[in-house]
Amino acid sequence: MEILETKTLNFMKAILFILTLFASVALQAAEHPNVIVILADDFGYGSAGCYGADPALVRTPSIDRLAKEGRRFTDANTTSSVCSPTRYSVLTGRYCWRTTEKSGVLGVFSPLHIEPTRLNLASLLKGEGYHTAAIGKWHLGYGNSDGNPNWRVDYSGELSPGPLDIGFDYHFSVPANHGDVTGVFVENRFVYGLRSGKIPEGVKIPEVAMTSDFQPTYRPEDLENARKGVVILDLDAPRRVNDRVMPVLTGKAVDWIEQQKADEPFFLYFTPVAAHNPITPSTETAGSSGAGPYGDWIHELDRSVGQLLDVLDRKGFAENTLVIFTADNGGVTGEKVGSAQEIAQKAGLKVNGDLRGRKHTIWEGGFKVPFLVRWPGHVSAGSVSHEMVSLVDLLATASAIVGKPLPPAAEAAEDSYNILPAILGEPKEPIRNEVIVHSSDGVYAIRKGQWKWIEGVPATDVNAASAKKHSDEFHAQLYHTFEDPAETRDVATDYPDVVEEMKALLVRYRDGGYSREMPPVVEKKSVTPIPLSPLQGTVTLDESLEQNPPAPWSAVKGEWTPGDDGLFGKQTSQKDNGATLRVPVSLKDGAVQYEISFRGADRHSLRIETEGREHSFRIEVSTTKFGISKNPSKGEPKEAVEHLAGKVLDLQPELWYPIRISFKGDEVFAEINGESIRATHPVFDHPKAALNFLVFGDSIGFRQVKVAKP
């Protein structure tokens, strides 16, 4: 009897424990707030009323409402001064320069840049019971590349992997940029309303009514950058109407929120296309500002924010919803004559406030953005925080909110700090001591307290035009951002110890693989180019290039100067298609071999001509890429380039790398530093009559040129 009573008591205790556990889990789920991240596009620090915009020029009552009812941050930083890298960081908690994207942005046809296995905001929150959606500009790619240089996203088929494969339940987007060549929306895994194409059997894509939100074709004037050679995709689907894009995206976001339930948390990643070019305010906002079309475009963004806040009120969600409003990078200023930004600037609008620079640059105007947080009952209304935060911190912060510990820093959320203490109050100590920012040209800078040190070294593949335009960013410099927020005085020579400290920190965080903890010091090994096997065959050309070579060599374009046992070419005019050094040859099968050293130029192309110059092809080499392409033959349009092979490289400037191109019949085999590529084409079987060494940009050296026949 006693045993039975004991068993019954233990059973009841077990039941009570299970019920308590379930109640605890249910309570925890109920306490999870809804989360909305609004990531505006190219929206500068001074573009909202709560950040000092002149109300006579622009009025942002909805954005200002977030400041009034929540907390305004004065020192929030993007990770990049362009969009794709920042968007990657927002979702993954990792600096994008740790990936293959070292400069610029992803293309319209780039593969998905976030690995499906990588922890991110969507997968974290979905794992905690959240319904998740990504609505707005995506610009993080779709699909998996097979390594072929001709691979690109096929918008006529299934766009997978994509957002639904990294944790989002619903996706509706502008694929890349407002005004991109797709001219379509994407819903979940397919182009929105796709009527025909590579649609798998059994998949039915809902029909889309052709309302005023859509048009049958996308036109050159709809593009962000309409230029010769740009081809709009041929897709059988409804096309975007530019001045209806914001209303459509906002409507989709509002509809999705309307479908949510009060007892089930949701996460919305909403990414409006405003205030990115092209500037296309809707009829509801056109002419409403004192700053011209650009001011109207800001009003369009504010109207969108207001509609999201309204639906939260209408559904009774506002009290349990954390809303974050920010931007992917600083705004575009009015350097371009006649642009909407120039009109706004002349009217007196300070898009980026008093900060130096703009989108693309390494200056504060490229990174410092509005950052507003509203969470009723948790965040003090009308409060201000001067805490230095980064958009990369959102993943660690979400992790803290839902009580889900992050994996080790070396595995995920490598650069993300929990800024919840700064959202809820005033931390006694700074949450993060440093933050790293990165420009479109690949220049790194590191902030620590009042100091900002700019390394000043661009990515090796930066083109000559950008190098010239941003030359003031391409040298090391130090600024005291508290005393000199406009970065007007370089104080590097006054504080050499600070420079050394900042330089060491940047290197340690960059090489260490993560920064939310101090990584171990990585001892860099010296880099030695991988040699080639001995050249086989009879050498018919052997030129060291220690001096300017005699005829039949000829410097066709650019400036060619001997040095470092080689000959260095420099492009002297943007009008020229590269500096060119030419030499006639007579070769069918065999090999061309030489050494190459990058000293500032972004790429080299060895253009090989066939007899009679009927055909040509090229071997393309940069510090990051290696490729084989067939050029247009006589009578073919300039766009008729065939990219036949490609591979990623990691070459270091200043070093001499041997490269060899071998020919046999219709096959070409090229190799450099242990990497090789191969391609076949009938043109390769033609007799080769000339080699053209082309240099694009500042300087590339060549030496020890040899041609051998079997």
Side-chain angles (χ1 to χ4, degrees):
M1 185 69 176
E2 185 176 337
I3 294 174
L4 181 60
E5 287 177 352
T6 302
K7 286 184 176 181
T8 302
L9 182 62
N10 289 340
F11 177 74
M12 293 302 293
K13 284 181 178 178
I15 291 294
L16 182 61
F17 172 77
I18 292 170
L19 290 173
T20 303
L21 180 63
F22 275 119
S24 173
V25 170
L27 179 64
Q28 187 179 21
E31 290 177 345
H32 284 351
N34 306 314
V35 178
I36 296 179
V37 174
I38 304 172
L39 186 68
D41 203 354
D42 294 1
F43 190 68
Y45 190 79
S47 297
C50 55
Y51 281 91
D54 185 347
L57 299 174
V58 293
R59 298 171 302 283
T60 54
S62 299
I63 295 171
D64 297 348
R65 178 186 170 189
L66 291 172
K68 184 179 179 180
E69 298 176 359
R71 172 157 292 197
R72 179 173 64 88
F73 283 74
T74 64
D75 194 3
N77 302 268
T78 64
T79 58
S80 171
S81 57
V82 282
C83 55
S84 294
T86 293
R87 291 162 192 269
Y88 176 90
S89 297
V90 166
L91 291 176
T92 66
R94 184 186 189 215
Y95 291 132
C96 191
W97 45 261
R98 297 197 190 279
T99 74
T100 55
E101 195 71 11
K102 308 294 186 185
S103 64
V105 298
L106 297 173
V108 176
F109 303 103
S110 295
L112 180 66
H113 203 60
I114 298 175
E115 311 95 297
T117 56
R118 174 168 288 279
L119 180 72
N120 64 80
L121 269 173
S123 63
L124 171 79
L125 295 176
K126 185 181 175 74
E128 296 302 304
Y130 278 70
H131 300 284
T132 57
I135 299 175
K137 169 177 170 174
W138 179 238
H139 211 175
L140 284 169
Y142 299 98
N144 270 332
S145 171
D146 60 6
N148 187 312
N150 292 312
W151 186 93
R152 64 183 208 167
V153 177
D154 184 354
Y155 284 93
S156 69
E158 185 172 352
L159 303 174
S160 184
L164 270 59
D165 300 287
I166 64 170
F168 288 106
D169 299 319
Y170 178 72
H171 172 62
F172 187 90
S173 78
V174 170
N177 271 325
H178 187 39
D180 66 32
V181 296
T182 69
V184 296
F185 293 106
V186 167
E187 186 173 46
N188 293 329
R189 298 189 187 278
F190 293 91
V191 164
Y192 187 55
L194 185 66
R195 291 179 285 260
S196 64
K198 299 173 184 176
I199 303 171
E201 187 176 349
V203 173
K204 184 172 178 57
I205 297 173
E207 186 177 342
V208 175
M210 291 298 289
T211 65
S212 59
D213 290 336
F214 305 99
Q215 58 183 338
T217 59
Y218 209 56
R219 305 157 301 175
E221 55 265 36
D222 294 322
L223 296 174
E224 177 191 359
N225 293 308
R227 58 188 184 275
K228 190 175 181 181
V230 175
V231 179
I232 296 170
L233 284 192
D234 182 16
L235 291 168
D236 185 16
R239 299 307 180 111
R240 304 189 303 255
V241 175
N242 282 353
D243 65 4
R244 299 302 301 163
V245 170
M246 278 296 292
V248 168
L249 295 177
T250 305
K252 288 291 183 180
V254 168
D255 289 347
W256 187 81
I257 294 173
E258 289 273 15
Q259 297 168 22
Q260 304 311 305
K261 299 176 182 178
D263 58 349
E264 297 177 8
F266 64 81
F267 165 53
L268 172 61
Y269 172 63
F270 180 57
T271 50
V273 296
H276 194 286
N277 283 325
I279 309 303
T280 58
S282 67
T283 54
E284 290 85 354
T285 58
S288 63
S289 79
Y294 188 74
D296 303 341
W297 198 215
I298 290 174
H299 284 185
E300 188 74 40
L301 173 63
D302 188 75
R303 181 172 181 266
S304 174
V305 173
Q307 289 177 298
L308 263 63
L309 298 183
D310 287 346
V311 72
L312 292 177
D313 291 337
R314 190 164 62 249
K315 291 283 290 184
F317 293 160
E319 292 300 309
N320 191 40
T321 300
L322 168 65
V323 178
I324 296 174
F325 173 87
T326 187
D328 61 351
N329 47 253
V332 175
T333 48
E335 287 88 350
K336 187 176 179 181
V337 177
S339 67
Q341 289 88 349
E342 187 205 28
I343 293 169
Q345 191 167 292
K346 284 186 174 179
L349 182 64
K350 295 182 177 181
V351 173
N352 297 316
D354 294 321
L355 301 173
R356 181 179 181 180
R358 47 158 282 171
K359 175 183 179 178
H360 294 112
T361 70
I362 197 63
W363 312 116
E364 291 293 271
F367 306 98
K368 193 166 285 188
V369 291
F371 192 88
L372 303 167
V373 183
R374 189 188 77 169
W375 189 7
H378 298 271
V379 175
S380 299
S383 59
V384 177
S385 173
H386 302 296
E387 188 79 19
M388 181 175 70
V389 299
S390 171
L391 269 62
V392 77
D393 297 332
L394 293 185
L395 180 54
T397 305
S399 170
I401 288 171
V402 300
K404 178 73 172 179
L406 290 173
E411 297 177 11
E414 289 90 334
D415 305 296
S416 193
Y417 281 71
N418 170 24
I419 62 169
L420 188 58
I423 289 173
L424 301 179
E426 295 296 335
K428 293 180 180 179
E429 299 291 334
I431 292 174
R432 56 157 61 243
N433 292 317
E434 302 91 14
V435 65
I436 297 173
V437 293
H438 192 241
S439 79
S440 179
D441 292 326
V443 175
Y444 292 86
I446 183 169
R447 280 271 314 279
K448 181 176 183 179
Q450 72 268 35
W451 298 111
K452 176 181 177 181
W453 182 71
I454 299 171
E455 186 178 45
V457 180
T460 52
D461 58 353
V462 169
N463 61 49
S466 185
K468 183 178 180 180
K469 184 178 181 181
H470 299 151
S471 59
D472 58 345
E473 304 174 37
F474 294 175
H475 63 92
Q477 43 205 301
L478 179 72
Y479 293 95
H480 193 303
T481 60
F482 291 0
E483 295 178 358
D484 181 23
E487 298 170 290
T488 61
R489 181 171 175 261
D490 177 7
V491 294
T493 56
D494 299 337
Y495 299 95
D497 292 344
V498 173
V499 169
E500 289 306 311
E501 179 192 5
M502 302 286 274
K503 184 188 298 185
L505 277 170
L506 175 60
V507 170
R508 186 165 180 177
Y509 285 137
R510 187 167 55 199
D511 295 350
Y514 53 87
S515 66
R516 69 172 156 103
E517 298 172 6
M518 183 61 73
V521 174
V522 176
E523 293 293 336
K524 278 199 165 183
K525 297 179 181 179
S526 60
V527 177
T528 303
I530 299 173
L532 297 170
S533 61
L535 182 64
Q536 302 296 314
T538 303
V539 175
T540 60
L541 174 67
D542 189 350
E543 176 56 61
S544 68
L545 293 183
E546 292 180 2
Q547 300 294 329
N548 283 304
W553 289 81
S554 59
V556 181
K557 296 177 184 176
E559 180 181 294
W560 292 87
T561 307
D564 193 16
D565 298 327
L567 190 64
F568 288 80
K570 178 179 180 181
Q571 186 176 2
T572 54
S573 171
Q574 291 301 311
K575 295 179 182 179
D576 292 339
N577 188 25
T580 307
L581 182 69
R582 188 174 191 275
V583 62
V585 295
S586 178
L587 181 69
K588 192 171 186 294
D589 291 347
V592 175
Q593 181 175 301
Y594 54 97
E595 293 182 22
I596 184 172
S597 180
F598 290 85
R599 308 289 174 94
D602 63 320
R603 61 190 170 94
H604 154 60
S605 178
L606 178 68
R607 189 176 72 229
I608 302 170
E609 298 172 5
T610 64
E611 288 182 356
R613 297 192 177 185
E614 287 289 327
H615 311 284
S616 70
F617 57 96
R618 62 182 187 256
I619 313 300
E620 303 145 322
V621 189
S622 73
T623 54
T624 59
K625 295 177 182 176
F626 193 25
I628 302 174
S629 297
K630 182 213 171 269
N631 296 322
S633 298
K634 279 188 178 180
E636 292 182 336
K638 291 181 179 180
E639 297 78 34
V641 175
E642 297 179 51
H643 300 292
L644 304 171
K647 184 168 276 190
V648 173
L649 292 179
D650 185 15
L651 307 183
Q652 301 301 310
E654 308 293 329
L655 299 179
W656 286 99
Y657 290 90
I659 177 172
R660 181 184 298 157
I661 303 98
S662 303
F663 312 98
K664 187 174 183 180
D666 63 356
E667 184 175 86
V668 168
F669 179 75
E671 51 190 322
I672 184 172
N673 204 41
E675 300 290 350
S676 61
I677 50 178
R678 187 186 305 270
T680 57
H681 196 282
V683 164
F684 300 157
D685 200 26
H686 289 241
K688 292 86 182 165
L691 307 177
N692 296 271
F693 294 81
L694 276 68
V695 173
F696 299 91
D698 192 32
S699 184
I700 293 179
F702 303 96
R703 69 184 189 187
Q704 303 302 327
V705 179
K706 293 180 172 64
V707 174
K709 293 182 178 180

